[in-house]
Amino acid sequence: QLQQCETQNRKIEGLESTHLAYVIYTSGSTGKPKGVMVEHYSLVNRINWMDSEYGSSTDDCILQKTPFSFDVSVWEFFWPLLTGAKLLLAKPEGHKDSIYLSDLIQQHAVTKLHFVPSMLSNMLSFGELQKCKTIRQVFCSGEALLSQQVSDFYKLKIGAVLHNLYGPTEASIDVSYWDSSSNSPADCIPIGRAINNTQLFVLNSNKELTPFGGVGELYIGGVGLARGYLNRPELTDDRFVVHPFASKQDKAKGYSRLYKTGDLARYLPDGNLEYIGRIDDQVKIRGFRIELGEIEAQLSDFESISACLVLVADSEEQQKQLIAYLIPNGEIEDENEWLRTIKSSLQESLPDYMVPSAFVVMRQWPLTPNGKIDRKALAGADVAIMQSQYVAPKTALEETLVEIFAELLNLESDKISTTANFFELGGHSLSAARLMAMIKAQCQIELTLKSVFESPTIAQLAELLSNSDVSDNMISIQPVARREGGDAVSFSQQRLWLIDQLQGGSSEYNMPTALRVKGAFDIDVANRAMQRIIARHEILRTVLKETEQGTVQVVTEQVAFAFTS
């Protein structure tokens, strides 16, 4: 196969296999466009593999609909031209129009075509794909293919096979493949095995092979690798690293480098690779590290969900929160009840901090020019407010609470029912503490955190606040005598102490913000002010110590502190 690639490239006089075939720009995770340089050698290997694996003849009609600024278009153009199949060109922007594509496929008897999974969902949602009886092969790549999408595809019974391909632009379109069937696994859809003349490694942070089944970063090697990034030598060296396992024979075949994909993967027992998600999809919310792909995997198990995506909303007005975007599998009679059921189920299978705070019901995905999900457009979608029938505020106090809910949760006040649950609207324990502070500021009444959890609706809170005995139920904090040898630590202190031991002195939990002071800064005055604050507050003089009885907290008499210039 490798020798065939070299021979085919040299049929044209003067053309070498290592000459540049094309440059395609990709923004990647940084947003700054990068020109990926792909050589003839790599492209020929990819096209030869596809034809040997799937075959194409003069009886086939292959639809070319991907904009030519994206690498999927390369095989859409060259595969039919090299095999004598009919090449059908869709109109510009036609790849986003489900009805147009369906009509085009039926009119010209298209047999093979490509869909980004999000576009496949749109075709399935609108019922257009079931009209396309001539299709024999559908290739998916560009995004993770979900088990629900595979299941919905085979329910159409149009006699076609769905193939899952994976590969970054930096590795000549695709590097792995997996052929699905109506009996495909429900838990995950693999990205499969390596194509010809390609190596796939799952490595840890030290570039060592992970144990079988262990999660690590996916590295790609072989003749399919691009030359690098156009006029970006530093970036090329960073992403295209030296192959740590290459033998002399491997290097002679062009296996001297590996490409760092930034994708997390693991090998399944059957030898196929499973895509886990992006390394940069790991987020941290309220101190917890979260893999968005884990939440999406749980949502994908719902038969009523055709497709899903979980993103993090982060703005200056509110803290980070998880938002789940869902495309229903068919019509939903009561969206609020449907979402409540989904959230309730997630709360049984996921920790509280991994349950999305808000949900958005979509009919189809907004798409970018290359057919992938337009994540920026999703930010403008309306967040679903999970509440029963809307009940307007009846008293001035309820109106005040509605405004507080709206400001705190970044929602429109005229859509918040007095029967809506604070936590179902997107609230959590930290925002509940802010709710207590805002109620105290505007109503001059203090609540306990327990009372917020027990009375989470506006109507319940208004009734509680109207009760004159509410202040009498407050539990005041009483000073206690110090025990010799130290006092017991709270659960929060235990948790932070454990994290400190693991991370090694991180300032993450005691530096909420940084301030830049402009103008003259009197160090002596600042030192005196800080020393007074430390003397006033015992917690600033508290240290944790390990004893035979466990971890204890000890309040010291003095703490040496001084600003330095």
Side-chain angles (χ1 to χ4, degrees):
Q1 183 77 26
L2 196 57
Q3 187 175 7
Q4 181 183 359
C5 294
E6 293 175 335
T7 303
Q8 188 165 344
N9 260 331
R10 288 172 177 157
K11 287 181 179 179
I12 303 176
E13 186 176 355
L15 177 64
E16 295 294 333
S17 62
T18 55
H19 283 171
L20 199 62
Y22 62 84
V23 175
I24 281 186
Y25 280 81
T26 176
S27 61
S29 59
T30 64
K32 184 177 181 180
K34 307 184 293 285
V36 180
M37 300 182 289
V38 177
E39 299 171 347
H40 286 270
Y41 194 66
S42 304
L43 176 57
V44 170
N45 179 73
R46 168 60 178 75
I47 299 297
N48 278 347
W49 162 79
M50 192 169 199
D51 196 54
S52 64
E53 183 67 29
Y54 301 116
S56 177
S57 69
T58 55
D59 296 330
D60 284 311
C61 178
I62 299 177
L63 177 60
Q64 197 292 309
K65 61 180 181 59
T66 305
F68 55 78
S69 55
F70 301 97
D71 63 348
V72 170
S73 66
V74 177
W75 73 253
E76 287 180 336
F77 279 121
F78 287 103
W79 190 24
L81 292 177
L82 291 173
T83 60
K86 180 180 178 181
L87 172 61
L88 176 63
L89 302 177
K91 68 179 182 180
E93 301 296 312
H95 65 290
K96 298 180 181 180
D97 188 336
S98 301
I99 297 177
Y100 164 77
L101 288 178
S102 177
D103 292 341
L104 193 67
I105 293 168
Q106 296 174 67
Q107 180 181 353
H108 296 275
V110 171
T111 57
K112 304 174 188 288
L113 76 163
H114 173 273
F115 281 121
V116 174
S118 50
M119 185 61 200
L120 175 64
S121 286
N122 287 351
M123 292 287 289
L124 293 169
S125 298
F126 284 97
E128 294 297 331
L129 205 57
Q130 65 190 38
K131 304 175 185 177
C132 306
K133 305 297 185 181
T134 60
I135 295 177
R136 293 294 169 261
Q137 289 174 317
V138 174
F139 301 94
C140 274
S141 66
E143 294 171 342
L145 183 63
L146 305 179
S147 58
Q148 186 63 52
Q149 293 167 331
V150 175
S151 175
D152 291 343
F153 177 84
Y154 284 106
K155 287 177 182 177
L156 302 180
K157 297 182 179 181
I158 58 176
V161 179
L162 186 61
H163 307 282
N164 192 29
L165 308 181
Y166 164 85
T169 306
E170 289 83 352
S172 301
I173 314 170
D174 299 303
V175 296
S176 70
Y177 68 105
W178 182 78
D179 302 333
S180 68
S181 70
S182 56
N183 296 319
S184 294
D187 52 346
C188 75
I189 299 299
I191 58 174
R193 303 171 185 270
I195 70 170
N196 296 343
N197 306 312
T198 300
Q199 296 177 327
L200 301 175
F201 299 96
V202 179
L203 308 181
N204 61 22
S205 58
N206 296 320
K207 294 187 176 64
E208 300 168 333
L209 292 170
T210 60
F212 198 81
V215 176
E217 183 173 3
L218 182 60
Y219 285 71
I220 302 171
V223 300
L225 292 194
R227 183 187 296 177
Y229 298 111
L230 181 64
N231 299 326
R232 302 283 295 277
E234 294 181 358
L235 184 60
T236 297
D237 292 340
D238 179 64
R239 305 302 298 181
F240 294 84
V241 299
V242 176
H243 195 323
F245 316 114
S247 62
K248 290 183 178 180
Q249 293 81 0
D250 287 336
K251 293 178 180 178
K253 296 177 182 178
Y255 291 66
S256 61
R257 299 176 303 154
L258 293 180
Y259 172 69
K260 283 170 52 76
T261 64
D263 291 332
L264 295 172
R266 65 181 170 196
Y267 273 103
L268 299 172
D270 61 1
N272 283 303
L273 272 170
E274 178 187 5
Y275 171 81
I276 305 298
R278 290 288 300 172
I279 289 179
D280 48 21
D281 274 351
Q282 186 185 77
V283 297
K284 195 168 187 179
I285 296 180
R286 304 195 296 279
F288 298 100
R289 297 193 182 278
I290 299 171
E291 294 287 353
L292 300 182
E294 291 184 29
I295 306 172
E296 293 171 352
Q298 292 285 337
L299 288 169
S300 299
D301 290 339
F302 290 91
E303 292 185 0
S304 61
I305 297 177
S306 174
C308 64
L309 182 67
V310 178
L311 299 178
V312 176
D314 186 11
S315 65
E316 296 180 357
E317 294 79 16
Q318 60 185 44
Q319 298 176 351
K320 289 181 178 179
Q321 64 172 339
L322 297 171
I323 298 182
Y325 298 85
L326 312 176
I327 294 182
N329 187 14
E331 293 297 324
I332 303 296
E333 292 185 5
D334 188 335
E335 287 187 358
N336 285 324
E337 183 60 32
W338 179 61
L339 292 176
R340 275 195 293 270
T341 301
I342 291 173
K343 186 169 185 177
S344 176
S345 180
L346 289 179
Q347 289 170 333
E348 295 177 359
S349 58
L350 292 174
D352 288 343
Y353 60 86
M354 291 183 66
V355 177
S357 302
F359 293 80
V360 178
V361 179
M362 309 290 295
R363 293 300 168 226
Q364 62 178 341
W365 295 124
L367 303 178
T368 63
N370 67 334
K372 294 185 179 180
I373 297 176
D374 188 345
R375 301 191 175 207
K376 292 182 179 179
L378 287 175
D382 290 332
V383 174
I385 299 179
M386 287 186 293
Q387 55 189 352
S388 55
Q389 186 176 1
Y390 175 79
V391 178
K394 300 175 182 177
T395 65
L397 180 56
E398 288 186 347
E399 290 178 354
T400 299
L401 290 174
V402 166
E403 294 299 327
I404 292 176
F405 272 43
E407 180 180 350
L408 188 57
L409 301 175
N410 197 29
L411 300 172
E412 297 179 22
S413 58
D414 59 354
K415 293 183 179 180
I416 300 177
S417 171
T418 57
T419 58
N421 187 301
F422 177 78
F423 300 101
E424 289 184 353
L425 294 177
H428 46 74
S429 57
L430 293 182
S431 55
R434 290 185 60 199
L435 174 66
M436 292 161 53
M438 294 176 72
I439 290 176
K440 179 180 179 181
Q442 296 194 37
C443 303
Q444 288 73 52
I445 299 177
E446 290 190 5
L447 293 175
T448 62
L449 189 60
K450 179 182 178 182
S451 64
V452 174
F453 277 92
E454 292 178 344
S455 305
T457 70
I458 290 172
Q460 291 171 332
L461 281 174
E463 182 179 356
L464 182 64
L465 293 172
S466 300
N467 185 348
S468 59
D469 297 331
V470 67
S471 297
D472 299 334
N473 295 330
M474 294 294 298
I475 302 175
S476 60
I477 300 176
Q478 301 295 330
V480 296
R482 301 295 174 204
R483 292 190 302 179
E484 185 177 352
D487 296 295
V489 296
S490 68
F491 291 121
S492 295
Q493 286 174 312
Q494 291 178 24
R495 181 170 62 87
L496 292 176
W497 179 241
L498 175 61
I499 293 174
D500 185 76
Q501 305 308 299
L502 295 174
Q503 293 186 347
S506 171
S507 61
E508 194 166 5
Y509 291 95
N510 55 27
M511 189 180 292
T513 186
L515 301 176
R516 181 184 297 275
V517 179
K518 295 183 179 179
F521 184 76
D522 192 323
I523 292 181
D524 291 335
V525 173
N527 277 329
R528 290 197 301 271
M530 288 302 300
Q531 288 163 3
R532 290 288 296 273
I533 293 173
I534 293 171
R536 180 180 178 86
H537 298 282
E538 288 184 340
I539 193 63
L540 299 179
R541 292 181 277 112
T542 300
V543 296
L544 300 186
K545 290 186 177 181
E546 294 288 354
T547 68
E548 294 181 357
Q549 289 73 35
T551 306
V552 297
Q553 55 179 317
V554 178
V555 180
T556 60
E557 292 298 326
Q558 294 180 346
V559 172
F561 176 87
F563 285 109
T564 57
S565 57

